[in-house]
Amino acid sequence: MLWGGRFSKDIDKFFLDFSSSIQFDINLLKYDLMVSRAHAKMLGQSGNITKDESREIVNGLDLIEAQFVAGNWNPLEDNQEDIHSAVENYLTKLIGDVAGKLHTARSRNDQVATGFRLWVKDSSRQLIDKIVELQKAFIDLSEQHVETIIPGYTHLQRAQPVSLAFHLLAYVEMFERDKTRLLNVIRDADVCPLGSGALAGTTLNIDREYTAKELGFSKVSSNALDSISDRDFVIDFLNACSVGMMHLSRLCEELILWSSSEWSFIQMDDSVTTGSSLMPQKKNPDAAELIRGKYGRVQGNYIAVSSMMKSLPLSYNRDMQEDKEPAFDSFTTFHNSLHLTKMMFNNISINVDRFKDELEGDYIFATDLADYLVSKGIPFRKAHQIVGEAVSYAISQNKKLNELSVTEFQQFDQVFDNSVYGCFDVSTSLDRKKSFGSPNPALLRQQIQKLKSKFS
Ligand code: ARG
């Protein structure tokens, strides 16, 4: 233990196990060692310990890292409550009493807050890289599907025709926002709390700028009380993971629908689907279902930490140890889900012509028909009414829109003529879209080129 002096009895074993975080904060080992190295160097530079002592401590920390990587030290066997205690304990075994100087002008409170910030920055960067991989895959796939017509939906009712490229690029936009959210997390986590001590700084002469720079932080925190009790950066990270997973969950829902017999639009590769133990014909989209399902835990992690922080008085409270498992879990879940999503798209087979014939003359062109009337001078509200009546009539006749004769159309307004059939042509339906941000293939191609040069 790091705090024996005041106590006359050992900690209860059950309580130690209950309070121990080493099983999961072992994930912070690399960052804890970085923090300790920077701190030891600073203590040497600022004359709080000798240069030799500083060197001895840094070498000891290097040795710990090397031994851990080589599998020669297992911190879990040291019976310590957390990874920070385990490192210091082992350092003492390796280099003797001088190890006791490492904790000069430092508390585990500022140590944990610093290491965890480093972890959050690093993990956010790794997630951004993963998102970029997925964006690139979507952009490449979009290029092949600018003309692949699919129905666009609102309320899961057919609304207007779009293309698969347009649909995929919508996700590229969502992923872009996921990256921005993570970049904001990195920016806000980029403040170094080291040197804040337990809650009120130190009477010793330390150089906080030095350690901040050494650890790659762009600034030092300005209020020790806040520095060691702030977990906003964790909550922001968890929110970024949660929103990102929510996007993947929406995408997965679509993959599940699209791979059903009713949709028959895609087939997922055997390597990412499963069979049924009972029904031999089944090919199940379990990968997509699991990602959709895992959003629940990632959102739960956000709620767990934000509610844990609620009502905590300043400054550090042990409750705050509960910030780590959710963060590690959200990172791993989001990272793996991004990876698996890319795998699902790697070998997806797409039924390119699936909707071509089906949409010819479909009611999905009702809005085009209203625009047609608008171009003939009819106010949109009136055009909407006329087309509504025409659609209702077509449904009653069990006809598609392109199966109505001009005379039938003229029952609703004299302005209809032969040119009306141009509205129902699937192959030109997207070309007729003019506005920026629409699925017009020419616009989409331009956008894809722009994205390709941005991501190359
Ligand atoms: N494992 C603890 C945590 O992550 C370390 C900080 C302990 N500080 C303390 N004052 N007990 O929160």
Side-chain angles (χ1 to χ4, degrees), residues 21 25 81-82 84 108-109 112 231 316 318 320-321 323-324:
S21 56
D25 65 20
E81 70 170 41
D82 61 23
H84 321 288
R108 261 185 306 162
N109 295 352
V112 169
R231 292 295 182 273
Y316 179 84
R318 189 67 182 273
M320 288 160 71
Q321 177 173 295
D323 59 358
K324 306 214 176 41

Side-chain angles (χ1 to χ4, degrees), residues 174-382:
M174 288 147 90
F175 297 149
E176 198 62 19
R177 293 195 294 275
D178 293 336
K179 275 160 46 187
T180 305
R181 230 169 264 112
L182 286 164
L183 284 170
N184 292 342
V185 170
I186 293 173
R187 183 198 59 208
D188 292 345
D190 188 25
V191 182
C192 186
L194 193 61
S196 298
L199 76 165
T202 172
T203 54
L204 299 168
N205 209 353
I206 58 168
D207 185 348
R208 293 193 58 202
E209 296 288 344
Y210 178 95
T211 37
K213 195 157 171 250
E214 189 76 11
L215 291 169
F217 285 103
S218 61
K219 41 188 173 305
V220 299
S221 60
S222 6
N223 180 302
L225 210 52
D226 176 54
S227 312
I228 56 102
S229 61
D230 168 26
R231 292 295 182 273
D232 293 359
F233 67 99
V234 184
I235 294 171
D236 290 343
F237 175 77
L238 289 170
N239 181 54
C241 292
S242 174
V243 177
M245 276 300 288
M246 177 269 284
H247 289 156
L248 292 186
S249 156
R250 294 181 71 178
L251 174 67
C252 285
E253 169 70 7
E254 305 206 279
L255 291 178
I256 293 162
L257 292 171
W258 288 352
S259 63
S260 67
S261 320
E262 286 71 15
W263 240 276
S264 297
F265 180 47
I266 59 164
Q267 276 242 22
M268 299 229 230
D269 194 62
D270 285 359
S271 62
V272 286
T273 47
T274 60
S276 157
S277 56
L278 179 72
M279 301 161 283
Q281 87 285 8
K282 292 292 290 292
K283 180 166 166 173
N284 297 327
D286 289 31
E289 291 170 292
L290 280 165
I291 295 171
R292 184 179 60 180
K294 279 176 192 289
Y295 167 65
R297 65 196 281 164
V298 173
Q299 196 218 8
N301 288 336
Y302 167 82
I303 293 171
V305 177
S306 56
S307 31
M308 178 274 287
M309 287 301 289
K310 177 188 171 290
S311 313
L312 285 191
L314 290 177
S315 60
Y316 179 84
N317 297 272
R318 189 67 182 273
D319 317 43
M320 288 160 71
Q321 177 173 295
E322 289 291 313
D323 59 358
K324 306 214 176 41
E325 272 173 298
F328 299 146
D329 182 66
S330 284
F331 169 72
T332 308
T333 307
F334 189 24
H335 196 271
N336 290 347
S337 300
L338 286 162
H339 189 76
L340 189 55
T341 304
K342 182 156 173 270
M343 284 170 61
M344 283 193 287
F345 275 90
N346 276 347
N347 294 308
I348 202 165
S349 72
I350 294 162
N351 183 356
V352 175
D353 294 327
R354 164 67 180 83
F355 294 105
K356 226 176 177 176
D357 294 342
E358 191 173 312
L359 292 187
E360 200 70 44
D362 191 86
Y363 309 122
I364 203 164
F365 290 106
T367 313
D368 296 51
L369 195 54
D371 286 349
Y372 164 85
L373 293 176
V374 167
S375 73
K376 291 189 172 290
I378 296 182
F380 181 77
R381 281 286 158 238
K382 179 144 187 251

Side-chain angles (χ1 to χ4, degrees), residues 140-204:
D140 288 345
L141 193 60
S142 299
E143 211 169 13
Q144 303 161 35
H145 293 287
V146 169
E147 312 272 0
T148 303
I149 299 276
I150 60 170
Y153 297 85
T154 61
H155 314 270
L156 204 57
Q157 304 290 319
R158 282 188 184 174
Q160 295 188 40
V162 297
S163 63
L164 179 59
F166 189 60
H167 201 106
L168 293 173
L169 291 175
Y171 281 96
V172 172
E173 296 292 320
M174 288 147 90
F175 297 149
E176 198 62 19
R177 293 195 294 275
D178 293 336
K179 275 160 46 187
T180 305
R181 230 169 264 112
L182 286 164
L183 284 170
N184 292 342
V185 170
I186 293 173
R187 183 198 59 208
D188 292 345
D190 188 25
V191 182
C192 186
L194 193 61
S196 298
L199 76 165
T202 172
T203 54
L204 299 168

